[in-house]
């Protein structure tokens, strides 16, 4: 942010011992100080520094992608990440699944009265680091404060804008019979990491969230195979729900090979303990890719050549099926339907 020698604040925010109070959402001096000394300092860039209620910029050439998502994960801090980095990664990934290069983000905060400023500063610093690593700028935002007991610490909304390269058009309705189904690595890590930190589901595990920005991996993939038919990140509802969504959009079925789906032993053990199916457990740093069979080997090699795709695997095939069923060829030689998730296995996962 620009320096202003006429700054009206008589003392700095107490980020060590202070708390958010209703005045921080009032639109007055306290809110201006919170925005300037915390959000503005952490997210500093030339568009944000203009201090307008919006960001104005020249659109890039080609097509634009826009997406928005809200983050209500509980707990706010978990192995491998926190709500701040998650809010960046999730929205960057939603853009990346269109093959887009993320450019700008907005950030909206809903903060509960009494929330510790040190925790808010930790979350904001994590967001700033994740945005910088992803190469995107947070160019405008909003802050609201709700009364004590009417929130759960902090909720974050992020909206993203990205540019889609010419000739790249992955979409959920483009899967065709014969296509290969690929996944970029082990599934279920994020959901198990969240569960491991919840008080009433406490168990020992070393699993950390896979939360990560996938646009670099996607850029390498579309360079190698521009005509990727479908890209999708299997977040809430996990791999199973994501494939059912694609099957419905495309009017096809899918046949998966259970032996080929990468699942860590610790994730499988935790899910068995909790009575969960790891195919339905959330991910925040994995993607599903569907491509023509002739492109599959090249795309898989490209994925395995990127740090976020080292454990990529071909897990199945798109089939002709008027019922649009996703089926699993089990390790015992039989088949079972992998249906839509009924309800939520565990809420507040992202």
């Amino acid at each position: 942010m620009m320096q202003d020698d006429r700054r009206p604040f008589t003392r700095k925010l107490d980020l060590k011992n202070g708390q958010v109070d209703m005045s921080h959402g009032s639109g007055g001096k306290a809110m201006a100080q919170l925005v300037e000394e915390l959000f503005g300092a952490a997210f500093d860039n030339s568009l944000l520094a203009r201090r307008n209620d919006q960001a104005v910029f020249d659109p890039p050439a080609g097509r634009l992608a826009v997406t928005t998502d809200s983050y209500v994960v509980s707990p706010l801090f978990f192995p491998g990440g926190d709500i701040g980095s998650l809010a960046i990664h999730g929205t960057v990934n939603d853009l990346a699944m269109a093959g887009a290069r993320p450019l700008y983000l907005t950030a909206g905060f809903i903060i509960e009265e009494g929330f510790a400023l040190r925790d808010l500063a930790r979350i904001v610093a994590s967001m700033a680091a994740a945005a910088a690593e992803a190469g995107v700028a947070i160019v405008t935002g909003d802050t609201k404060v709700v009364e004590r007991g009417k929130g759960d610490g902090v909720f974050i909304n992020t909206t993203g804008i990205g540019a889609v390269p010419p000739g790249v058009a992955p979409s959920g309705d483009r899967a065709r019979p014969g296509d290969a189904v690929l996944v970029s690595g082990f599934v279920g890590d994020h959901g198990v990491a969240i569960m491991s930190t919840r008080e009433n589901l406490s168990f020992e595990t070393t699993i950390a969230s896979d939360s990560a920005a996938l646009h670099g991996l996607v850029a390498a993939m579309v360079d190698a195979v521009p005509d990727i038919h479908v890209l999708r990140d299997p977040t809430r509802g996990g791999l199973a729900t994501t494939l059912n969504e694609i099957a419905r959009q495309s009017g096809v079925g899918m046949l998966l090979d259970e032996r080929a789906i990468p699942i860590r032993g610790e994730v499988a053990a935790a899910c068995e303990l909790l009575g969960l199916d790891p195919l339905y457990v959330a991910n925040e740093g994995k993607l599903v890719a569907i491509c023509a069979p002739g492109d599959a080997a090249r795309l898989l090699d490209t994925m395995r050549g990127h740090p976020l795709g080292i454990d990529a695997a071909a897990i199945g095939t798109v089939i002709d099926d008027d019922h649009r069923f996703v089926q699993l060829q089990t390790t015992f030689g039989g088949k079972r339907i992998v249906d839509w998730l009924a309800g939520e296995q565990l809420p507040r996962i992202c």
Side-chain angles (χ1 to χ4, degrees), residues 187-188 238-240 263 267-268 271-272 276-283 345:
V187 299
L239 179 66
I263 301 172
V267 169
C271 287
E272 184 174 355
L276 303 176
D277 185 335
L279 297 183
Y280 293 89
V281 176
N283 312 273
Q345 281 204 124

Side-chain angles (χ1 to χ4, degrees), residues 5 13 36 43 70 87 128 166 169 232:
D5 294 336
L13 277 176
E36 179 171 321
F43 301 152
S70 298
R232 187 70 60 86

Side-chain angles (χ1 to χ4, degrees), residues 182-185 217 220-221 287-289 296-313:
L182 313 180
V183 66
S184 63
L217 171 62
M221 292 169 65
L287 63 80
V288 170
R298 180 154 39 100
L299 188 58
L300 190 59
D301 285 345
T302 301
M303 294 167 74
R304 288 173 173 168
H306 190 280
L308 295 178
I310 290 173
D311 298 305

Side-chain angles (χ1 to χ4, degrees), residues 200-270:
N200 60 341
L201 294 175
S202 180
F203 54 88
E204 290 189 3
T205 178
T206 58
I207 294 294
S209 169
D210 60 351
S211 181
L214 296 170
H215 60 299
L217 171 62
V218 170
M221 292 169 65
V222 297
D223 279 348
V225 179
D227 189 27
I228 297 174
H229 293 175
V230 183
L231 288 171
R232 187 70 60 86
D233 52 341
T235 53
R236 279 184 301 170
L239 179 66
T241 300
T242 295
L243 293 179
N244 273 283
E245 290 172 352
I246 297 169
R248 183 178 66 173
Q249 282 182 260
S250 295
V252 297
M254 295 189 194
L255 180 60
L256 308 180
D257 181 353
E258 185 175 26
R259 295 169 300 180
I261 300 173
I263 301 172
R264 298 186 197 278
E266 289 172 280
V267 169

